[in-house]
Amino acid sequence: MLTVVSAQAHTDSVAIDVTARIKERCGFAAAGPDAVAAPRDLETAANFSLAVGLDCNTPYALGVTSQSGALLNVDNADDGSGYAFSKRYRVSVALETDKGVVRSTRCTSDEMEEGGRCDFASMVPGRGLKSGAGISVGRNAVITIDWPSQAAAEPRLAAGHYKDTLILVVGPRA
């Protein structure tokens, strides 16, 4: 937008105000991970991280929810055998911003179901873990997942493949 202040016949200057606006944007960077190969043995303790690229030029919030609230056995249903057919895990989030790293507390997967009590559990863009005053252009959200050893736990896990889906949403802060 250009605005010219009226010029009068005997002035020796003209003032021109130049204003511009950059629209807010906040989303995931292209080519993010869509699946993670976790350690193959749920019986042993695990701890691993994955980075998801962000493109947010304004303060934002990232929400993370668990679709099932646990890793569920996709090969077999609970048959009353006394074995466990699900395993809870824990998640924490770190937002890399231009003002430093913002870290969440660690939540268990059952606390991250929609409506759960985890601080960053949200399906609404702009709600969840807040970036503070920071922005994240060309930076990452780092999701850390861990679970304890099952070796001494009762009941033991039933054989099979286990799966859960984490759903991430990001948007300018609501």
Side-chain angles (χ1 to χ4, degrees):
M1 171 174 163
L2 293 176
T3 305
V4 177
V5 175
S6 64
Q8 297 178 351
H10 297 285
T11 61
D12 57 1
S13 67
V14 174
I16 300 173
D17 292 330
V18 178
T19 60
R21 181 175 188 268
I22 296 176
K23 187 177 178 181
E24 290 179 342
R25 71 175 188 275
C26 189
F28 295 107
D34 56 358
V36 176
R40 296 178 88 39
D41 185 3
L42 284 177
E43 298 262 308
T44 60
N47 187 321
F48 57 99
S49 298
L50 64 124
V52 179
L54 295 171
D55 184 26
C56 296
N57 70 353
T58 187
Y60 64 95
L62 176 81
V64 182
T65 55
S66 165
Q67 186 175 45
S68 302
L71 291 162
L72 300 179
N73 190 317
V74 295
D75 296 329
N76 302 298
D78 192 342
D79 57 6
S81 63
Y83 286 96
F85 290 80
S86 66
K87 180 170 177 116
R88 281 189 276 169
Y89 58 94
R90 298 173 296 216
V91 174
S92 61
V93 179
L95 303 176
E96 298 171 351
T97 78
D98 64 330
K99 304 287 185 192
V101 178
V102 177
R103 296 182 192 285
S104 74
T105 58
R106 189 167 59 178
C107 294
T108 59
S109 53
D110 60 328
E111 296 172 324
M112 295 171 35
E113 289 183 282
E114 188 173 0
R117 59 189 185 143
C118 178
D119 290 342
F120 57 81
S122 178
M123 297 279 293
V124 178
R127 297 217 173 132
L129 180 61
K130 294 174 177 49
S131 68
I135 63 173
S136 295
V137 176
R139 291 183 164 85
N140 296 312
V142 178
I143 312 298
T144 300
I145 301 167
D146 72 274
W147 57 74
S149 171
Q150 191 81 14
E154 290 295 330
R156 299 297 298 267
L157 291 171
H161 294 89
Y162 287 74
K163 178 183 175 182
D164 191 15
T165 300
L166 291 177
I167 302 162
L168 283 62
V169 295
V170 67
R173 264 203 313 257

